[in-house]
mmCIF file of all heavy atoms in Angstrom:
data_model
loop_
_atom_site.group_PDB
_atom_site.id
_atom_site.type_symbol
_atom_site.label_atom_id
_atom_site.label_comp_id
_atom_site.label_asym_id
_atom_site.label_seq_id
_atom_site.Cartn_x
_atom_site.Cartn_y
_atom_site.Cartn_z
ATOM 1 N N VAL A 1324 -4.656 7.229 -9.084
ATOM 2 C CA VAL A 1324 -5.196 8.299 -9.925
ATOM 3 C C VAL A 1324 -4.093 8.950 -10.758
ATOM 4 O O VAL A 1324 -4.294 9.266 -11.930
ATOM 5 C CB VAL A 1324 -5.921 9.351 -9.054
ATOM 6 C CG1 VAL A 1324 -6.247 10.602 -9.865
ATOM 7 C CG2 VAL A 1324 -7.211 8.766 -8.479
ATOM 8 N N SER A 1325 -2.916 9.146 -10.165
ATOM 9 C CA SER A 1325 -1.844 9.835 -10.895
ATOM 10 C C SER A 1325 -1.437 9.052 -12.142
ATOM 11 O O SER A 1325 -1.109 9.637 -13.177
ATOM 12 C CB SER A 1325 -0.629 10.048 -9.983
ATOM 13 O OG SER A 1325 0.030 8.831 -9.702
ATOM 14 N N TYR A 1326 -1.481 7.738 -12.067
ATOM 15 C CA TYR A 1326 -1.092 6.889 -13.200
ATOM 16 C C TYR A 1326 -2.114 6.999 -14.332
ATOM 17 O O TYR A 1326 -1.768 7.218 -15.502
ATOM 18 C CB TYR A 1326 -0.966 5.446 -12.714
ATOM 19 C CG TYR A 1326 -0.343 4.491 -13.714
ATOM 20 C CD1 TYR A 1326 0.757 4.856 -14.476
ATOM 21 C CD2 TYR A 1326 -0.845 3.208 -13.870
ATOM 22 C CE1 TYR A 1326 1.336 3.972 -15.382
ATOM 23 C CE2 TYR A 1326 -0.274 2.309 -14.767
ATOM 24 C CZ TYR A 1326 0.810 2.707 -15.520
ATOM 25 O OH TYR A 1326 1.372 1.831 -16.407
ATOM 26 N N ALA A 1327 -3.402 6.854 -13.986
ATOM 27 C CA ALA A 1327 -4.447 6.944 -15.005
ATOM 28 C C ALA A 1327 -4.538 8.354 -15.583
ATOM 29 O O ALA A 1327 -4.768 8.541 -16.785
ATOM 30 C CB ALA A 1327 -5.791 6.523 -14.409
ATOM 31 N N TRP A 1328 -4.344 9.350 -14.734
ATOM 32 C CA TRP A 1328 -4.381 10.753 -15.173
ATOM 33 C C TRP A 1328 -3.301 11.006 -16.230
ATOM 34 O O TRP A 1328 -3.551 11.641 -17.261
ATOM 35 C CB TRP A 1328 -4.167 11.649 -13.958
ATOM 36 C CG TRP A 1328 -4.288 13.118 -14.207
ATOM 37 C CD1 TRP A 1328 -3.295 13.980 -14.572
ATOM 38 C CD2 TRP A 1328 -5.483 13.912 -14.113
ATOM 39 N NE1 TRP A 1328 -3.781 15.255 -14.704
ATOM 40 C CE2 TRP A 1328 -5.121 15.253 -14.429
ATOM 41 C CE3 TRP A 1328 -6.807 13.625 -13.775
ATOM 42 C CZ2 TRP A 1328 -6.049 16.288 -14.411
ATOM 43 C CZ3 TRP A 1328 -7.730 14.660 -13.772
ATOM 44 C CH2 TRP A 1328 -7.347 15.975 -14.087
ATOM 45 N N ALA A 1329 -2.111 10.493 -15.963
ATOM 46 C CA ALA A 1329 -1.011 10.648 -16.925
ATOM 47 C C ALA A 1329 -1.335 9.938 -18.228
ATOM 48 O O ALA A 1329 -1.050 10.449 -19.318
ATOM 49 C CB ALA A 1329 0.282 10.096 -16.327
ATOM 50 N N GLY A 1330 -1.938 8.754 -18.136
ATOM 51 C CA GLY A 1330 -2.264 7.996 -19.340
ATOM 52 C C GLY A 1330 -3.183 8.750 -20.269
ATOM 53 O O GLY A 1330 -2.929 8.843 -21.482
ATOM 54 N N PHE A 1331 -4.243 9.332 -19.726
ATOM 55 C CA PHE A 1331 -5.180 10.085 -20.560
ATOM 56 C C PHE A 1331 -4.580 11.400 -21.047
ATOM 57 O O PHE A 1331 -4.751 11.796 -22.199
ATOM 58 C CB PHE A 1331 -6.465 10.373 -19.788
ATOM 59 C CG PHE A 1331 -7.406 9.208 -19.740
ATOM 60 C CD1 PHE A 1331 -7.863 8.729 -18.528
ATOM 61 C CD2 PHE A 1331 -7.834 8.586 -20.902
ATOM 62 C CE1 PHE A 1331 -8.723 7.646 -18.474
ATOM 63 C CE2 PHE A 1331 -8.701 7.502 -20.855
ATOM 64 C CZ PHE A 1331 -9.145 7.029 -19.640
ATOM 65 N N GLY A 1332 -3.886 12.085 -20.140
ATOM 66 C CA GLY A 1332 -3.318 13.378 -20.523
ATOM 67 C C GLY A 1332 -2.343 13.270 -21.667
ATOM 68 O O GLY A 1332 -2.360 14.082 -22.603
ATOM 69 N N ALA A 1333 -1.481 12.254 -21.631
ATOM 70 C CA ALA A 1333 -0.471 12.097 -22.678
ATOM 71 C C ALA A 1333 -1.047 11.502 -23.961
ATOM 72 O O ALA A 1333 -0.602 11.833 -25.061
ATOM 73 C CB ALA A 1333 0.668 11.214 -22.169
ATOM 74 N N SER A 1334 -2.044 10.630 -23.852
ATOM 75 C CA SER A 1334 -2.620 9.985 -25.035
ATOM 76 C C SER A 1334 -3.518 10.921 -25.825
ATOM 77 O O SER A 1334 -3.442 11.003 -27.058
ATOM 78 C CB SER A 1334 -3.428 8.745 -24.624
ATOM 79 O OG SER A 1334 -2.644 7.825 -23.915
ATOM 80 N N PHE A 1335 -4.394 11.636 -25.123
ATOM 81 C CA PHE A 1335 -5.427 12.437 -25.787
ATOM 82 C C PHE A 1335 -5.143 13.937 -25.799
ATOM 83 O O PHE A 1335 -5.610 14.651 -26.684
ATOM 84 C CB PHE A 1335 -6.782 12.208 -25.103
ATOM 85 C CG PHE A 1335 -7.330 10.812 -25.256
ATOM 86 C CD1 PHE A 1335 -8.316 10.347 -24.402
ATOM 87 C CD2 PHE A 1335 -6.874 9.961 -26.240
ATOM 88 C CE1 PHE A 1335 -8.842 9.071 -24.530
ATOM 89 C CE2 PHE A 1335 -7.382 8.678 -26.376
ATOM 90 C CZ PHE A 1335 -8.371 8.232 -25.524
ATOM 91 N N GLY A 1336 -4.404 14.428 -24.793
ATOM 92 C CA GLY A 1336 -4.208 15.873 -24.665
ATOM 93 C C GLY A 1336 -3.537 16.535 -25.854
ATOM 94 O O GLY A 1336 -4.089 17.475 -26.441
ATOM 95 N N PRO A 1337 -2.339 16.094 -26.264
ATOM 96 C CA PRO A 1337 -1.683 16.730 -27.409
ATOM 97 C C PRO A 1337 -2.518 16.634 -28.683
ATOM 98 O O PRO A 1337 -2.586 17.592 -29.461
ATOM 99 C CB PRO A 1337 -0.383 15.916 -27.551
ATOM 100 C CG PRO A 1337 -0.134 15.362 -26.189
ATOM 101 C CD PRO A 1337 -1.488 15.059 -25.639
ATOM 102 N N LEU A 1338 -3.167 15.495 -28.895
ATOM 103 C CA LEU A 1338 -3.983 15.332 -30.091
ATOM 104 C C LEU A 1338 -5.201 16.243 -30.060
ATOM 105 O O LEU A 1338 -5.593 16.797 -31.093
ATOM 106 C CB LEU A 1338 -4.413 13.870 -30.236
ATOM 107 C CG LEU A 1338 -5.290 13.558 -31.457
ATOM 108 C CD1 LEU A 1338 -4.610 14.011 -32.746
ATOM 109 C CD2 LEU A 1338 -5.625 12.076 -31.521
ATOM 110 N N MET A 1339 -5.802 16.416 -28.885
ATOM 111 C CA MET A 1339 -6.956 17.306 -28.785
ATOM 112 C C MET A 1339 -6.560 18.734 -29.156
ATOM 113 O O MET A 1339 -7.258 19.418 -29.922
ATOM 114 C CB MET A 1339 -7.532 17.264 -27.369
ATOM 115 C CG MET A 1339 -8.740 18.171 -27.148
ATOM 116 S SD MET A 1339 -10.133 17.813 -28.260
ATOM 117 C CE MET A 1339 -10.663 16.221 -27.623
ATOM 118 N N LEU A 1340 -5.435 19.221 -28.643
ATOM 119 C CA LEU A 1340 -4.989 20.578 -28.949
ATOM 120 C C LEU A 1340 -4.667 20.735 -30.434
ATOM 121 O O LEU A 1340 -5.043 21.734 -31.065
ATOM 122 C CB LEU A 1340 -3.773 20.931 -28.098
ATOM 123 C CG LEU A 1340 -4.028 21.060 -26.590
ATOM 124 C CD1 LEU A 1340 -2.725 21.275 -25.840
ATOM 125 C CD2 LEU A 1340 -5.007 22.194 -26.309
ATOM 126 N N CYS A 1341 -3.976 19.748 -31.004
ATOM 127 C CA CYS A 1341 -3.648 19.812 -32.430
ATOM 128 C C CYS A 1341 -4.905 19.723 -33.288
ATOM 129 O O CYS A 1341 -5.018 20.402 -34.318
ATOM 130 C CB CYS A 1341 -2.683 18.688 -32.802
ATOM 131 S SG CYS A 1341 -1.001 18.901 -32.150
ATOM 132 N N SER A 1342 -5.861 18.904 -32.879
ATOM 133 C CA SER A 1342 -7.108 18.757 -33.636
ATOM 134 C C SER A 1342 -7.874 20.064 -33.707
ATOM 135 O O SER A 1342 -8.478 20.395 -34.734
ATOM 136 C CB SER A 1342 -7.997 17.682 -32.987
ATOM 137 O OG SER A 1342 -7.384 16.414 -33.029
ATOM 138 N N LEU A 1343 -7.853 20.814 -32.623
ATOM 139 C CA LEU A 1343 -8.636 22.051 -32.552
ATOM 140 C C LEU A 1343 -7.906 23.262 -33.125
ATOM 141 O O LEU A 1343 -8.546 24.223 -33.556
ATOM 142 C CB LEU A 1343 -9.012 22.343 -31.091
ATOM 143 C CG LEU A 1343 -9.900 21.300 -30.391
ATOM 144 C CD1 LEU A 1343 -10.089 21.682 -28.926
ATOM 145 C CD2 LEU A 1343 -11.254 21.176 -31.081
ATOM 146 N N TYR A 1344 -6.554 23.212 -33.147
ATOM 147 C CA TYR A 1344 -5.802 24.415 -33.490
ATOM 148 C C TYR A 1344 -4.871 24.288 -34.702
ATOM 149 O O TYR A 1344 -4.460 25.310 -35.255
ATOM 150 C CB TYR A 1344 -4.961 24.860 -32.283
ATOM 151 C CG TYR A 1344 -5.773 25.550 -31.212
ATOM 152 C CD1 TYR A 1344 -6.283 24.837 -30.134
ATOM 153 C CD2 TYR A 1344 -6.059 26.916 -31.294
ATOM 154 C CE1 TYR A 1344 -7.039 25.472 -29.148
ATOM 155 C CE2 TYR A 1344 -6.805 27.551 -30.328
ATOM 156 C CZ TYR A 1344 -7.298 26.827 -29.252
ATOM 157 O OH TYR A 1344 -8.051 27.459 -28.295
ATOM 158 N N TRP A 1345 -4.529 23.069 -35.113
ATOM 159 C CA TRP A 1345 -3.555 22.938 -36.199
ATOM 160 C C TRP A 1345 -4.182 22.253 -37.401
ATOM 161 O O TRP A 1345 -4.445 21.061 -37.380
ATOM 162 C CB TRP A 1345 -2.318 22.163 -35.728
ATOM 163 C CG TRP A 1345 -1.170 22.243 -36.692
ATOM 164 C CD1 TRP A 1345 -0.847 23.296 -37.509
ATOM 165 C CD2 TRP A 1345 -0.202 21.219 -36.948
ATOM 166 N NE1 TRP A 1345 0.269 22.997 -38.251
ATOM 167 C CE2 TRP A 1345 0.692 21.739 -37.931
ATOM 168 C CE3 TRP A 1345 0.008 19.947 -36.439
ATOM 169 C CZ2 TRP A 1345 1.762 21.000 -38.408
ATOM 170 C CZ3 TRP A 1345 1.084 19.218 -36.911
ATOM 171 C CH2 TRP A 1345 1.954 19.734 -37.898
ATOM 172 N N ARG A 1346 -4.366 23.014 -38.445
ATOM 173 C CA ARG A 1346 -5.016 22.542 -39.672
ATOM 174 C C ARG A 1346 -4.234 21.424 -40.351
ATOM 175 O O ARG A 1346 -4.801 20.556 -41.014
ATOM 176 C CB ARG A 1346 -5.153 23.746 -40.621
ATOM 177 C CG ARG A 1346 -5.942 23.545 -41.888
ATOM 178 C CD ARG A 1346 -6.035 24.901 -42.583
ATOM 179 N NE ARG A 1346 -6.889 24.874 -43.762
ATOM 180 C CZ ARG A 1346 -6.458 24.691 -45.002
ATOM 181 N NH1 ARG A 1346 -5.167 24.473 -45.227
ATOM 182 N NH2 ARG A 1346 -7.313 24.712 -46.014
ATOM 183 N N ARG A 1347 -2.933 21.404 -40.176
ATOM 184 C CA ARG A 1347 -2.056 20.488 -40.914
ATOM 185 C C ARG A 1347 -1.961 19.100 -40.263
ATOM 186 O O ARG A 1347 -1.339 18.188 -40.795
ATOM 187 C CB ARG A 1347 -0.667 21.123 -40.998
ATOM 188 C CG ARG A 1347 0.388 20.344 -41.789
ATOM 189 C CD ARG A 1347 0.034 20.205 -43.265
ATOM 190 N NE ARG A 1347 1.097 19.574 -44.037
ATOM 191 C CZ ARG A 1347 1.368 18.266 -44.058
ATOM 192 N NH1 ARG A 1347 0.635 17.429 -43.330
ATOM 193 N NH2 ARG A 1347 2.356 17.792 -44.805
ATOM 194 N N THR A 1348 -2.575 18.913 -39.113
ATOM 195 C CA THR A 1348 -2.514 17.612 -38.438
ATOM 196 C C THR A 1348 -3.100 16.523 -39.341
ATOM 197 O O THR A 1348 -4.176 16.673 -39.902
ATOM 198 C CB THR A 1348 -3.301 17.636 -37.115
ATOM 199 O OG1 THR A 1348 -2.916 18.772 -36.346
ATOM 200 C CG2 THR A 1348 -3.031 16.374 -36.312
ATOM 201 N N THR A 1349 -2.386 15.415 -39.472
ATOM 202 C CA THR A 1349 -2.845 14.333 -40.349
ATOM 203 C C THR A 1349 -3.268 13.116 -39.520
ATOM 204 O O THR A 1349 -2.925 12.995 -38.341
ATOM 205 C CB THR A 1349 -1.734 13.895 -41.321
ATOM 206 O OG1 THR A 1349 -0.651 13.335 -40.555
ATOM 207 C CG2 THR A 1349 -1.221 15.065 -42.130
ATOM 208 N N LEU A 1350 -3.990 12.216 -40.171
ATOM 209 C CA LEU A 1350 -4.424 10.989 -39.505
ATOM 210 C C LEU A 1350 -3.233 10.144 -39.036
ATOM 211 O O LEU A 1350 -3.223 9.693 -37.879
ATOM 212 C CB LEU A 1350 -5.334 10.180 -40.431
ATOM 213 C CG LEU A 1350 -5.798 8.819 -39.908
ATOM 214 C CD1 LEU A 1350 -6.540 8.955 -38.587
ATOM 215 C CD2 LEU A 1350 -6.680 8.118 -40.948
ATOM 216 N N PRO A 1351 -2.212 9.907 -39.876
ATOM 217 C CA PRO A 1351 -1.047 9.149 -39.371
ATOM 218 C C PRO A 1351 -0.378 9.833 -38.180
ATOM 219 O O PRO A 1351 0.074 9.163 -37.239
ATOM 220 C CB PRO A 1351 -0.108 9.106 -40.581
ATOM 221 C CG PRO A 1351 -1.010 9.240 -41.766
ATOM 222 C CD PRO A 1351 -2.090 10.174 -41.322
ATOM 223 N N GLY A 1352 -0.321 11.167 -38.210
ATOM 224 C CA GLY A 1352 0.249 11.900 -37.081
ATOM 225 C C GLY A 1352 -0.574 11.706 -35.820
ATOM 226 O O GLY A 1352 -0.027 11.546 -34.723
ATOM 227 N N ALA A 1353 -1.903 11.712 -35.985
ATOM 228 C CA ALA A 1353 -2.797 11.520 -34.839
ATOM 229 C C ALA A 1353 -2.621 10.134 -34.225
ATOM 230 O O ALA A 1353 -2.517 9.984 -33.000
ATOM 231 C CB ALA A 1353 -4.243 11.730 -35.273
ATOM 232 N N VAL A 1354 -2.580 9.112 -35.074
ATOM 233 C CA VAL A 1354 -2.415 7.737 -34.591
ATOM 234 C C VAL A 1354 -1.068 7.574 -33.877
ATOM 235 O O VAL A 1354 -0.987 7.021 -32.769
ATOM 236 C CB VAL A 1354 -2.525 6.734 -35.762
ATOM 237 C CG1 VAL A 1354 -2.140 5.331 -35.305
ATOM 238 C CG2 VAL A 1354 -3.940 6.730 -36.338
ATOM 239 N N ALA A 1355 -0.008 8.065 -34.517
ATOM 240 C CA ALA A 1355 1.335 7.935 -33.934
ATOM 241 C C ALA A 1355 1.438 8.675 -32.609
ATOM 242 O O ALA A 1355 2.039 8.174 -31.641
ATOM 243 C CB ALA A 1355 2.375 8.463 -34.918
ATOM 244 N N GLY A 1356 0.865 9.869 -32.541
ATOM 245 C CA GLY A 1356 0.927 10.657 -31.314
ATOM 246 C C GLY A 1356 0.167 10.010 -30.171
ATOM 247 O O GLY A 1356 0.647 9.963 -29.027
ATOM 248 N N MET A 1357 -1.021 9.485 -30.458
ATOM 249 C CA MET A 1357 -1.817 8.844 -29.415
ATOM 250 C C MET A 1357 -1.108 7.622 -28.847
ATOM 251 O O MET A 1357 -1.032 7.433 -27.631
ATOM 252 C CB MET A 1357 -3.192 8.450 -29.968
ATOM 253 C CG MET A 1357 -4.149 7.931 -28.909
ATOM 254 S SD MET A 1357 -5.754 7.454 -29.598
ATOM 255 C CE MET A 1357 -6.424 9.051 -30.034
ATOM 256 N N LEU A 1358 -0.562 6.799 -29.729
ATOM 257 C CA LEU A 1358 0.160 5.605 -29.281
ATOM 258 C C LEU A 1358 1.420 5.976 -28.497
ATOM 259 O O LEU A 1358 1.747 5.360 -27.480
ATOM 260 C CB LEU A 1358 0.530 4.736 -30.481
ATOM 261 C CG LEU A 1358 -0.619 3.967 -31.142
ATOM 262 C CD1 LEU A 1358 -0.135 3.307 -32.432
ATOM 263 C CD2 LEU A 1358 -1.189 2.927 -30.190
ATOM 264 N N THR A 1359 2.130 7.004 -28.975
ATOM 265 C CA THR A 1359 3.348 7.448 -28.286
ATOM 266 C C THR A 1359 3.044 7.889 -26.865
ATOM 267 O O THR A 1359 3.774 7.543 -25.923
ATOM 268 C CB THR A 1359 4.009 8.602 -29.058
ATOM 269 O OG1 THR A 1359 4.394 8.142 -30.355
ATOM 270 C CG2 THR A 1359 5.232 9.129 -28.318
ATOM 271 N N GLY A 1360 1.965 8.652 -26.694
ATOM 272 C CA GLY A 1360 1.598 9.123 -25.361
ATOM 273 C C GLY A 1360 1.320 7.989 -24.399
ATOM 274 O O GLY A 1360 1.832 7.963 -23.269
ATOM 275 N N ALA A 1361 0.523 7.014 -24.850
ATOM 276 C CA ALA A 1361 0.155 5.893 -23.978
ATOM 277 C C ALA A 1361 1.366 5.036 -23.629
ATOM 278 O O ALA A 1361 1.591 4.689 -22.456
ATOM 279 C CB ALA A 1361 -0.920 5.045 -24.655
ATOM 280 N N VAL A 1362 2.161 4.701 -24.628
ATOM 281 C CA VAL A 1362 3.323 3.832 -24.407
ATOM 282 C C VAL A 1362 4.364 4.525 -23.531
ATOM 283 O O VAL A 1362 4.969 3.906 -22.637
ATOM 284 C CB VAL A 1362 3.941 3.410 -25.759
ATOM 285 C CG1 VAL A 1362 5.272 2.694 -25.543
ATOM 286 C CG2 VAL A 1362 2.980 2.504 -26.519
ATOM 287 N N THR A 1363 4.582 5.813 -23.755
ATOM 288 C CA THR A 1363 5.573 6.550 -22.963
ATOM 289 C C THR A 1363 5.210 6.568 -21.491
ATOM 290 O O THR A 1363 6.071 6.388 -20.622
ATOM 291 C CB THR A 1363 5.720 7.993 -23.486
ATOM 292 O OG1 THR A 1363 6.133 7.974 -24.851
ATOM 293 C CG2 THR A 1363 6.742 8.765 -22.659
ATOM 294 N N VAL A 1364 3.924 6.801 -21.185
ATOM 295 C CA VAL A 1364 3.495 6.839 -19.781
ATOM 296 C C VAL A 1364 3.776 5.509 -19.093
ATOM 297 O O VAL A 1364 4.352 5.461 -17.992
ATOM 298 C CB VAL A 1364 1.994 7.187 -19.693
ATOM 299 C CG1 VAL A 1364 1.445 6.845 -18.306
ATOM 300 C CG2 VAL A 1364 1.779 8.664 -19.974
ATOM 301 N N VAL A 1365 3.402 4.412 -19.736
ATOM 302 C CA VAL A 1365 3.599 3.090 -19.135
ATOM 303 C C VAL A 1365 5.097 2.776 -18.987
ATOM 304 O O VAL A 1365 5.557 2.326 -17.930
ATOM 305 C CB VAL A 1365 2.908 1.999 -19.981
ATOM 306 C CG1 VAL A 1365 3.224 0.618 -19.426
ATOM 307 C CG2 VAL A 1365 1.396 2.226 -20.012
ATOM 308 N N ALA A 1366 5.866 3.049 -20.039
ATOM 309 C CA ALA A 1366 7.303 2.749 -20.010
ATOM 310 C C ALA A 1366 8.040 3.649 -19.011
ATOM 311 O O ALA A 1366 8.919 3.185 -18.267
ATOM 312 C CB ALA A 1366 7.894 2.912 -21.409
ATOM 313 N N TRP A 1367 7.693 4.940 -19.011
ATOM 314 C CA TRP A 1367 8.385 5.878 -18.127
ATOM 315 C C TRP A 1367 8.120 5.538 -16.655
ATOM 316 O O TRP A 1367 9.038 5.533 -15.831
ATOM 317 C CB TRP A 1367 7.930 7.313 -18.410
ATOM 318 C CG TRP A 1367 8.896 8.348 -17.913
ATOM 319 C CD1 TRP A 1367 9.022 8.804 -16.630
ATOM 320 C CD2 TRP A 1367 9.884 9.033 -18.682
ATOM 321 N NE1 TRP A 1367 10.016 9.747 -16.550
ATOM 322 C CE2 TRP A 1367 10.569 9.915 -17.808
ATOM 323 C CE3 TRP A 1367 10.243 9.012 -20.028
ATOM 324 C CZ2 TRP A 1367 11.594 10.740 -18.225
ATOM 325 C CZ3 TRP A 1367 11.271 9.839 -20.453
ATOM 326 C CH2 TRP A 1367 11.939 10.695 -19.560
ATOM 327 N N LYS A 1368 6.868 5.246 -16.354
ATOM 328 C CA LYS A 1368 6.483 4.938 -14.971
ATOM 329 C C LYS A 1368 7.213 3.697 -14.463
ATOM 330 O O LYS A 1368 7.700 3.667 -13.322
ATOM 331 C CB LYS A 1368 4.970 4.718 -14.908
ATOM 332 C CG LYS A 1368 4.436 4.192 -13.579
ATOM 333 C CD LYS A 1368 4.430 5.253 -12.524
ATOM 334 C CE LYS A 1368 3.718 4.771 -11.274
ATOM 335 N NZ LYS A 1368 3.732 5.796 -10.202
ATOM 336 N N ASN A 1369 7.303 2.677 -15.292
ATOM 337 C CA ASN A 1369 7.805 1.376 -14.830
ATOM 338 C C ASN A 1369 9.294 1.140 -15.087
ATOM 339 O O ASN A 1369 9.931 0.372 -14.359
ATOM 340 C CB ASN A 1369 6.998 0.261 -15.487
ATOM 341 C CG ASN A 1369 5.544 0.277 -15.059
ATOM 342 O OD1 ASN A 1369 5.226 -0.061 -13.929
ATOM 343 N ND2 ASN A 1369 4.659 0.703 -15.945
ATOM 344 N N LEU A 1370 9.865 1.796 -16.103
ATOM 345 C CA LEU A 1370 11.243 1.502 -16.479
ATOM 346 C C LEU A 1370 12.211 2.668 -16.303
ATOM 347 O O LEU A 1370 13.369 2.471 -15.949
ATOM 348 C CB LEU A 1370 11.288 1.029 -17.941
ATOM 349 C CG LEU A 1370 10.453 -0.216 -18.290
ATOM 350 C CD1 LEU A 1370 10.526 -0.482 -19.795
ATOM 351 C CD2 LEU A 1370 10.925 -1.420 -17.488
ATOM 352 N N ILE A 1371 11.754 3.878 -16.575
ATOM 353 C CA ILE A 1371 12.663 5.031 -16.604
ATOM 354 C C ILE A 1371 12.677 5.805 -15.295
ATOM 355 O O ILE A 1371 13.741 6.154 -14.774
ATOM 356 C CB ILE A 1371 12.296 5.962 -17.784
ATOM 357 C CG1 ILE A 1371 12.411 5.179 -19.101
ATOM 358 C CG2 ILE A 1371 13.202 7.185 -17.808
ATOM 359 C CD1 ILE A 1371 11.987 5.960 -20.323
#
């Protein structure tokens, strides 16, 4: 559960907050942030 929880929290959480509260958020920023969250969780868990 801790692994999957981290995956969703990092992928969707920052984007959800920015989507609801920051007018300046752009589509490229959203895509980059979502991918960064998912990749970081997998890499951090297994490599770092």
Side-chain angles (χ1 to χ4, degrees):
V1324 169
S1325 71
Y1326 190 42
W1328 185 270
F1331 280 125
S1334 302
F1335 294 161
L1338 180 55
M1339 179 58 69
L1340 293 174
C1341 289
S1342 297
L1343 298 176
Y1344 283 94
W1345 192 33
R1346 187 175 186 265
R1347 183 64 175 77
T1348 310
T1349 64
L1350 176 58
V1354 171
M1357 187 181 290
L1358 287 172
T1359 298
V1362 171
T1363 300
V1364 164
V1365 175
W1367 200 280
K1368 172 74 172 178
N1369 295 288
L1370 302 176
I1371 300 176

